[in-house]
Amino acid sequence: MRTGIALLGAAASLSRAMQPNAAEPVPAPMRDLQWGQLNFLHTTDTHGWHGGHLQESQYSADWGDYVSFAAHMRKRADDEGRDLLLVDTGDRVEGNGLYDSSSPKGKYTYDIFKEQDIDIICTGNHELYHRHTADAERDQTVPNFGGKYIASNLDYIEPNTGKQVPMAQRYTKFKTKNQNITIVAFGFLFDFTGNANNTVVKPVEGVVKEDWFQQAIREKPDIFVVIGHVGVQMDEFKAIFDAIRTQNWFTPIAFFGGHAHVRDATKYDAKAFAMASGRYFETIGWMSVDGIDKKSKKGGDVSTQASVKFQRRYIDNNLLGLYHHTGLNETTFPTDHGRKVTDMIAKARKALDLDKTYGCAPQDYWMSRAPFPSNESIYTWLETQVLPDVTVNKTRKHVPRLSILNTGTIRFDIFEGPFTVDTTYIISPFTSGLNYVPDVPYFIAKKVITILNAGGPIFEGSGLDSRFLTSPEQWYRKGPRVASGHGEGKGMLLESTEQKPLGDDDDAKRPKLVSGYTTEDDIGDDGDDAEHEAISFYNVPNCIQAEIDFPEGGEEPEKVDVVFGDFITPWVVLALKFSGGDYSEKDVARYMEGSFTEAMAGWIKDNWKC
Ligand SMILES: *[C@@H]1O[C@H](CO)[C@@H](O)[C@H](O)[C@H]1NC(C)=O
Ligand SMILES: *[C@@H]1O[C@H](CO)[C@@H](O)[C@H](O)[C@H]1NC(C)=O
Ligand SMILES: *[C@@H]1O[C@H](CO)[C@@H](O)[C@H](O)[C@H]1NC(C)=O
Ligand SMILES: *[C@@H]1O[C@H](CO)[C@@H](O)[C@H](O)[C@H]1NC(C)=O
Ligand SMILES: *[C@@H]1O[C@H](CO)[C@@H](O)[C@H](O)[C@H]1NC(C)=O
């Protein structure tokens, strides 16, 4: 399958696409794309990273480059009589300065995003946390994508009338451009409950029993395409699969998922295949389907013989890879449209002053690529350096305190070098501040962190899911496919894959492997388009805690202030109760003004000189 090595050398900076100050891509041994009858490109959980990863060479292409890429791929499909469809499965907002730092938020990103011609698109949970994001989705993204936007289990409450209406159409039926393959497509969101009150997320298990769905699955298309902001291992997709199969024993079904921020693929049966395409615009997913039986041609009879073949690839989003997959180079790759979009992004980044530097990180700090605790862990840095300095209020200065932060507050690693306005939103896009419960007896307060980190049964009865305390990546790594071991009271090593030898390629020509994804999914370990050196991932706790202004000499204080991110208030109140304290939300007050993210940026300004 591996047929070439992208050894294209460094791109000349004059004619290249991507953002002007983005890292140059580095060549890697490549696996080719497997074209079929019907082909897909998939993005998910882009979270505003449409400018690409400026500090990471393997993901440094931008949305404009993706526009160029898709245009070349569509042309090839047209030339060869194949079909290509583009899919996006939500969480386009929150997590990058390009979206978060404008006023209103998304001032530039909705217009940038719509430049890509996407065929099937749906909503993620991040589009729904705030009323304003859901409104923007309804007022901008839905019309921007017209008949392509699908909301199979999502309603919107119209602000003027209070009427509950579908956010967009429930499903679509269409024919592909070149082969007239008939497709019935759905667009789902997992059973999310944290949405603002201007949307209604309808549980999937109920929706599949509704009349419109039951009618849609009787439409007899050549293939069903189910897209969703749903992890491919989650029950919601299984429920949809079961419902479709009760009516269609043999029709192929292609699932595109997201939310879990992982590269993943699996089969629900021989003709139902699911893939998820990572996060933060690091990955462009590729799926191809062969052996689709054209019922329309054969008079509507369902064949049980045809064998359907699904294949998948996870494309690293960098220019060298995109050149490789299109057979083009720095001169021939960028289209006028792609360059225009790259330019829109550069202008927006400039207008938002995203490159303004607060300070320079003296080293890399990792969320899960270093054990916790350790000097390379972002959480150790927060616990030992940031929290003690920022958890300060003059009026409470005399009271020792525990400062607790859930690890999900942090969304990304910090790289050595400039820490910019953009980095701030990337690391922690949240606007949450610090709350506290004053004067808690220490014998009660000290148990809270243990309870938060044990998670599980204590919280289950209360409807609080302790998985929400961590980042999505941690949450899903704790799932079934995770290797364990290497505990020793430090971080637990989750995955470590030996790099496979490259086989028959000439060693001398082999590019040095850059570290990156070495995905193992239910299909195998050959999904990544570029071969990488494996990265080890470590488990981190739900929450971390700093002890601040404690008595000298290891003595325990009598009472402390328990300070914590406001997002975790319900968990902390419950943990205080379980520790024997008679507390309720009424005892919670604001500890200090401003958000934790602002406090962290202030700390960096004061402590990390360039
Ligand atoms: C697709 O359908 C159109 C019109 O319905 C027809 O003209 C065309 O030949 C069909 N193409 C294929 C490949 O079946
Ligand atoms: C919805 O939430 C807003 C605050 O975000 C509140 O002002 C409003 O009353 C709520 N509406 C309903 C119908 O609950
Ligand atoms: C790019 O490809 C074109 C057409 O194959 C060729 O003429 C040109 O020299 C190439 N440019 C570079 C920089 O390799
Ligand atoms: C971490 O840094 C601290 C302070 O610089 C130092 O004392 C300690 O030895 C370091 N630990 C490791 C494991 O490098
Ligand atoms: C300190 O706490 C008091 C009382 O809650 C509050 O009014 C004040 O704004 C806080 N100060 C800062 C700097 O956050």
Side-chain angles (χ1 to χ4, degrees):
M1 242 181 263
R2 187 184 312 114
T3 60
I5 293 179
L7 271 177
L8 300 165
S13 50
L14 269 184
S15 60
R16 71 177 195 176
M18 70 188 195
Q19 290 303 294
N21 49 349
E24 295 287 354
V26 178
M30 300 295 290
R31 300 185 181 100
D32 288 343
L33 302 181
Q34 324 88 328
W35 282 82
Q37 254 177 299
L38 179 59
N39 307 277
F40 295 89
L41 294 172
H42 176 210
T43 49
T44 192
D45 299 83
T46 51
H47 285 289
W49 287 76
H50 305 108
H53 291 236
L54 275 61
Q55 291 176 297
E56 287 177 285
S57 60
Q58 35 323 14
Y59 318 119
S60 54
D62 68 23
W63 198 248
D65 301 318
Y66 183 40
V67 166
S68 299
F69 180 58
H72 296 302
M73 298 291 276
R74 280 192 204 275
K75 175 158 190 316
R76 174 161 171 192
D78 291 349
D79 291 347
E80 297 178 0
R82 307 172 190 274
D83 284 293
L84 177 72
L85 298 173
L86 266 62
V87 172
D88 182 84
T89 44
D91 275 11
R92 294 170 283 274
V93 301
E94 297 181 345
N96 188 287
L98 191 61
Y99 170 85
D100 289 274
S101 73
S102 65
S103 179
K105 288 176 189 290
K107 181 175 170 189
Y108 302 97
T109 51
Y110 293 104
D111 290 341
I112 290 163
F113 193 85
K114 79 169 183 203
E115 293 296 321
Q116 183 62 286
D117 189 3
I118 295 170
D119 297 283
I120 317 172
I121 180 170
C122 67
T123 318
N125 53 307
H126 274 266
E127 274 86 19
L128 306 179
Y129 280 107
H130 302 287
R131 293 178 59 93
H132 65 83
T133 0
D135 289 340
E137 204 55 19
R138 173 73 175 185
D139 297 342
Q140 299 190 62
T141 316
V142 170
N144 285 347
F145 290 92
K148 318 290 179 66
Y149 200 116
I150 316 183
S152 297
N153 66 329
L154 179 64
D155 285 351
Y156 177 70
I157 314 268
E158 287 179 343
N160 299 327
T161 62
K163 255 175 65 184
Q164 180 174 338
V165 297
M167 175 66 106
Q169 65 201 317
R170 294 291 190 217
Y171 76 102
T172 56
K173 184 173 186 185
F174 61 97
K175 279 186 183 182
T176 60
K177 177 180 172 194
N178 296 320
Q179 298 161 92
N180 295 339
I181 296 170
T182 55
I183 293 179
V184 165
F186 300 100
F188 278 92
L189 171 63
F190 72 94
D191 295 348
F192 175 55
T193 55
N195 52 313
N197 63 11
N198 60 343
T199 57
V200 176
V201 181
K202 306 171 93 180
V204 169
E205 294 72 7
V207 167
V208 297
K209 297 190 184 100
E210 290 181 6
D211 286 347
W212 72 264
F213 185 86
Q214 287 298 320
Q215 186 201 318
I217 62 174
R218 288 170 172 79
E219 296 258 15
K220 304 292 170 214
D222 298 323
I223 182 170
F224 287 100
V225 177
V226 180
I227 76 163
H229 193 77
V230 179
V232 299
Q233 314 286 349
M234 285 170 72
D235 292 340
E236 286 90 337
F237 265 180
K238 307 285 165 55
I240 297 162
F241 165 73
D242 287 340
I244 294 177
R245 275 286 174 264
T246 58
Q247 280 303 318
N248 306 270
W249 290 8
F250 305 110
T251 311
I253 315 173
F255 284 85
F256 293 90
H259 183 58
H261 287 193
V262 291
R263 295 178 171 189
D264 198 5
T266 190
K267 281 178 173 176
Y268 300 143
D269 70 14
K271 292 186 177 186
F273 190 92
M275 85 178 291
S277 302
R279 59 164 197 185
Y280 302 158
F281 200 36
E282 293 167 345
T283 303
I284 299 169
W286 167 262
M287 191 196 291
S288 65
V289 195
D290 260 327
I292 299 171
D293 189 30
K294 295 282 299 298
K295 285 164 210 151
S296 44
K297 268 192 177 167
K298 292 186 179 172
D301 220 37
V302 176
S303 161
T304 57
Q305 263 92 61
S307 80
V308 182
K309 185 175 182 190
F310 290 92
Q311 299 189 82
R312 55 86 183 90
R313 201 55 98 217
Y314 309 104
I315 301 171
D316 276 358
N317 181 36
N318 69 70
L319 282 176
L320 289 182
L322 302 185
Y323 297 160
H324 176 81
H325 294 308
T326 49
L328 297 169
N329 64 31
E330 65 192 75
T331 330
T332 52
F333 178 82
T335 62
D336 288 346
H337 186 194
R339 280 185 199 276
K340 186 189 122 194
V341 178
T342 292
D343 193 46
M344 283 172 81
I345 297 166
K347 288 202 170 104
R349 288 185 49 82
K350 198 149 189 233
L352 295 168
D353 208 7
L354 291 184
D355 292 326
K356 183 180 151 192
T357 301
Y358 285 134
C360 287
Q363 59 168 78
D364 296 335
Y365 290 95
W366 305 108
M367 291 171 68
S368 56
R369 283 166 68 166
F372 172 82
S374 79
N375 281 2
E376 298 193 313
S377 164
I378 202 165
Y379 300 112
T380 297
W381 167 69
L382 288 168
E383 194 174 77
T384 61
Q385 299 189 53
V386 181
L387 282 176
D389 285 352
V390 307
T391 313
V392 176
N393 184 318
K394 263 195 204 138
T395 65
R396 305 294 300 173
K397 208 172 161 35
H398 57 289
V399 187
R401 51 216 172 269
L402 296 174
S403 187
I404 301 173
L405 206 62
N406 65 302
T407 53
T409 302
I410 300 299
R411 300 282 287 192
F412 206 62
D413 305 313
I414 296 177
F415 299 107
E416 181 180 345
F419 191 104
T420 64
V421 171
D422 197 20
T423 321
T424 315
Y425 290 100
I426 288 168
I427 302 308
S428 187
F430 306 108
T431 49
S432 319
L434 295 181
N435 284 346
Y436 80 123
V437 176
D439 298 320
V440 179
Y442 185 62
F443 75 91
I444 291 173
K446 72 177 177 187
K447 294 181 196 151
V448 168
I449 185 78
T450 313
I451 292 172
L452 292 173
N453 284 339
I458 284 179
F459 295 108
E460 263 161 32
S462 65
L464 291 174
D465 189 336
S466 56
R467 291 179 305 177
F468 291 135
L469 298 171
T470 65
S471 67
E473 293 84 353
Q474 283 288 331
W475 169 355
Y476 284 93
R477 271 191 207 116
K478 286 175 179 166
R481 212 186 0 256
V482 162
S484 59
H486 304 264
E488 296 176 350
K490 285 197 126 196
M492 182 191 286
L493 185 59
L494 287 170
E495 296 165 35
S496 174
T497 320
E498 289 298 309
Q499 184 60 46
K500 309 279 176 301
L502 243 191
D504 53 11
D505 289 329
D506 180 350
D507 262 9
K509 284 196 212 133
R510 252 175 75 66
K512 202 165 148 273
L513 294 181
V514 176
S515 50
Y517 287 102
T518 50
T519 308
E520 285 180 48
D521 56 28
D522 290 346
I523 313 306
D525 61 5
D526 62 350
D528 301 310
D529 78 327
E531 291 207 30
H532 287 133
E533 184 141 31
I535 296 169
S536 300
F537 292 104
Y538 298 84
N539 230 332
V540 300
N542 293 336
C543 293
I544 56 170
Q545 167 176 287
E547 297 173 353
I548 306 164
D549 287 344
F550 269 41
E552 304 277 320
E555 212 181 302
E556 288 195 350
E558 198 187 320
K559 286 180 173 180
V560 294
D561 283 349
V562 177
V563 185
F564 46 90
D566 62 23
F567 175 78
I568 63 170
T569 300
W571 283 272
V572 172
V573 169
L574 200 60
L576 281 168
K577 278 188 195 154
F578 277 103
S579 310
D582 181 20
Y583 293 99
S584 72
E585 300 233 356
K586 284 205 285 285
D587 301 302
V588 176
R590 197 70 170 171
Y591 189 74
M592 58 186 232
E593 288 157 22
S595 70
F596 171 75
T597 301
E598 285 161 4
M600 183 180 70
W603 186 95
I604 286 162
K605 226 183 271 177
D606 294 343
N607 291 277
W608 280 353
K609 304 289 176 225
C610 282

